[in-house]
Amino acid sequence: MAVQVSRLVMKSSRSICVPRFLAFRNMSVVSAKTLLYKEYGEPAKVLEFSTDQVIKPEGNQVLVKWLLSPVNPADINTIQGKYPSKPPLPAVPGNEGVGEVIEVGSSVQNLKIGDRVVPNVNHLGTWRTQGSYNSEDLMKIPKEIGTVEASMLNVNPCTAFRMLKDFVSLKPGDTVIQNGGNSAVGQLVIQLCKVWNHTNISVVRDRPQISELKSQLKKLGATEVLTEEELRKTDLFKSKKLPQPKLALNCVGGQNALEVLRQLGSGGVMVTYGGMAREPVTVPTSALIFKDLSVRGFWMTAWSKKNHNAKERTEMFEELAKLFQEKKLHAPPYKIVPFSEYQEVIVNALRIDGKQGVKYILDMEKN
Ligand code: NDP
C-alpha cells in the first residue's frame, strides 16, 4: 500500500499530500488545514481553506506542525501573481514560519522529533497547520530564539544582514542612511548598525505621533531619525556633524529615494530592495559623473538560491540566531492573528497607505 500511495503523492508547495480518495481509515495520513490558491489574483478572492491529507513521513521526510507564519508584502504579491518567482499552482502561500518536527522518516539524519525548524528553501508554503517535507527543505534552529523571532528569521533579518555586508566594506563609525526606517527590514538594519557600530540615519514618513516613533527608533539604535521633509533640509552631513553616508538602503523609490541618494558621499552605493511608493528610482546625471555613485539592487530570494550551500549562509544564520538569543536583536512590532481569521491580515496587508506599524503573524494553532 505504501508504494501505491507514494506514487500517487501530490505536491502542493513542496508539502507532500495524498489525494483525498486514498485517505481512508487505516492509511498513514494526517489531516491539515491549509490555505490554498488555484489561480493568481487578489488574496481575498483567490484564497480558500482546504483540508489536506498529509502523508506520514517515510524515508527522508519529516512531518512538521507549523506554529507561527508571518505575512510579508512579498507573500501578497506572490498570490497576486505580481512577484517574479511564481510557485506552480495550486499553491500554499507562506515563505516564512517556525514549526516543530512531530514525526521523522527512518532515514532522516539532520532532524529529530521536537526540533524547531524554519524553511530552508523558498515557497515552502507555511500557511498550513501541518506538512510533510523532505528533511533538507528545513533548517533546525535553536529553541532559545523566541518563537516570534524564529518565525521571521528567513526574510527580513537576512535581508538587513546581507545589505549591510555585501555592497560596501563598512567600518565602525561609517554612516548608513535608509528610508522606510520603521519597516520591519528598516528596524533590523538599525539594530544591526548598532551591533556593528555603524552610524544609522533613518528616514520615515511624517505622522501625528512622529516624536514617539523617533524615540522608538533611536532606542533601537538609530543615530538620527528624519522625516522626508527634514531630510531635504538637513545639514547633518554638510556641517560635518556626521560623516557622509557610504551606503544608502532604499525600499521606497520616487522623490524619497532621490533625496536619500543625494546625501551619499563620493563613491557611495544605493541599494534598492523595495518599491513601496510604486515610483521609479531616478538618478541625477551629475551623481553618476561627479560623485561616481553606484545604484544597485538586492533580492534575498535570488541570494538564497545562489548561496544555498555557501558558508556565508550558514554563518549568517548562526550570527543572527546568536544575536536574537543574546537579545541584541528584537522582532519588529507584530500582531498575532488566529489562522482562522487570516482575512483581517489580508485586508490590512493590502492597505496601500501603510502606517500600520505592525507585522502580522498567523497563529497556526488557532485554526
Ligand atoms: P513593512 O510592511 O514592515 O513596512 C513597510 C514600510 O514601507 C513602512 O515603513 C511604511 O512606512 C513604508 N511605506 C509604505 N508606503 C510608503 C510610501 N508610499 N512612501 C514611503 N514609505 C512607505 O515591510 P517590510 O519591512 O517587510 O518590507 C519593506 C519593503 O522591503 C517591501 O517593499 C518588501 O517587499 C521589501 N523587501 C524586499 C526584500 C528583498 O529581498 N528585496 C526582502 C524583504 C522585504 P509607514 O510606516 O510610514 O507606513
Side-chain angles (χ1 to χ4, degrees):
M1 181 56 78
V3 175
Q4 224 180 349
V5 171
S6 302
R7 263 197 240 118
L8 285 158
V9 160
M10 301 190 300
K11 274 201 135 188
S12 110
S13 287
R14 286 179 185 267
S15 179
I16 299 148
C17 316
V18 290
R20 204 165 301 181
F21 71 90
L22 277 176
F24 47 82
R25 211 179 310 145
N26 60 354
M27 243 188 68
S28 290
V29 293
V30 288
S31 280
K33 189 168 175 181
T34 302
L35 263 182
L36 199 71
Y37 58 108
K38 294 176 184 153
E39 55 179 324
Y40 296 113
E42 288 314 314
K45 286 201 184 128
V46 298
L47 286 178
E48 58 184 83
F49 272 124
S50 115
T51 305
D52 274 356
Q53 303 303 322
V54 179
I55 194 164
K56 291 232 183 173
E58 293 176 351
N60 188 34
Q61 295 158 3
V62 295
L63 182 63
V64 172
K65 174 176 80 168
W66 289 108
L67 305 172
L68 295 176
S69 302
V71 178
N72 286 308
D75 292 315
I76 303 298
N77 296 147
T78 304
I79 300 164
Q80 290 169 325
K82 292 180 184 166
Y83 206 63
S85 82
K86 291 189 171 61
L89 299 175
V92 177
N95 208 22
E96 276 191 310
V98 62
E100 186 182 315
V101 174
I102 52 174
E103 279 190 47
V104 295
S106 54
S107 57
V108 172
Q109 304 276 333
N110 56 334
L111 294 171
K112 59 181 189 320
I113 292 176
D115 280 348
R116 281 280 159 90
V117 288
V118 298
N120 196 25
V121 289
N122 296 315
H123 297 308
L124 193 69
T126 56
W127 296 7
R128 66 193 323 149
T129 55
Q130 295 186 16
S132 192
Y133 306 92
N134 290 329
S135 66
E136 64 273 16
D137 288 350
L138 296 155
M139 189 186 340
K140 181 176 166 176
I141 49 142
K143 278 198 185 134
E144 292 72 28
I145 305 179
T147 321
V148 167
E149 286 77 7
S151 76
M152 296 185 187
L153 191 61
N154 284 63
V155 180
N156 293 335
C158 296
T159 303
F161 187 104
R162 293 268 56 104
M163 291 194 301
L164 289 171
K165 287 279 186 197
D166 293 349
F167 293 89
V168 172
S169 168
L170 292 169
K171 294 188 297 299
D174 284 344
T175 306
V176 175
I177 188 168
Q178 64 169 349
N179 57 25
N182 60 324
S183 67
V185 176
Q187 294 192 31
L188 287 150
V189 166
I190 291 173
Q191 295 176 75
L192 286 174
C193 281
K194 186 177 176 196
V195 170
W196 294 328
N197 292 316
H198 305 317
T199 300
N200 176 279
I201 310 299
S202 285
V203 180
V204 296
R205 289 198 284 184
D206 204 356
R207 67 200 68 217
Q209 297 82 18
I210 187 69
S211 52
E212 229 169 81
L213 177 64
K214 283 187 176 190
S215 49
Q216 269 168 26
L217 297 183
K218 282 189 181 173
K219 221 165 138 194
L220 277 185
T223 315
E224 286 290 344
V225 181
L226 303 173
T227 63
E228 295 181 9
E229 186 60 25
E230 288 167 343
L231 176 67
R232 229 164 277 145
K233 297 183 198 148
T234 191
D235 71 343
L236 273 177
F237 309 115
K238 266 192 212 133
S239 67
K240 303 209 181 332
K241 192 174 159 206
L242 291 175
Q244 274 194 297
K246 289 189 169 173
L247 176 67
L249 304 178
N250 163 43
C251 72
V252 175
Q255 187 64 29
N256 181 312
L258 178 58
E259 298 298 337
V260 167
L261 179 101
R262 284 202 169 117
Q263 307 301 330
L264 278 171
S266 287
V269 179
M270 183 165 86
V271 180
T272 291
Y273 67 100
M276 296 303 296
R278 297 166 198 211
E279 287 166 15
V281 173
T282 50
V283 183
T285 308
S286 59
L288 297 172
I289 300 175
F290 302 119
K291 286 176 83 179
D292 190 21
L293 299 188
S294 305
V295 180
R296 306 278 307 273
F298 178 74
W299 189 24
M300 194 65 225
T301 305
W303 189 93
S304 300
K305 252 189 205 164
K306 192 169 165 203
N307 294 280
H308 194 260
N309 296 315
K311 184 167 87 24
E312 286 84 351
R313 187 163 176 267
T314 316
E315 287 171 353
M316 170 180 69
F317 277 109
E318 282 170 2
E319 187 163 354
L320 287 171
K322 188 166 163 277
L323 290 171
F324 275 115
Q325 277 173 254
E326 292 171 350
K327 310 270 180 251
K328 289 184 180 158
L329 284 185
H330 300 273
Y334 58 87
K335 180 174 177 191
I336 298 183
V337 176
F339 185 34
S340 55
E341 292 167 28
Y342 78 93
Q343 289 95 336
E344 176 192 336
V345 177
I346 300 305
V347 168
N348 282 305
L350 284 172
R351 275 178 45 190
I352 52 166
D353 62 337
K355 298 197 172 128
Q356 301 165 50
V358 291
K359 177 70 63 194
Y360 282 93
I361 304 178
L362 297 170
D363 182 343
M364 311 312 289
E365 293 185 289
K366 294 202 177 125
N367 55 74

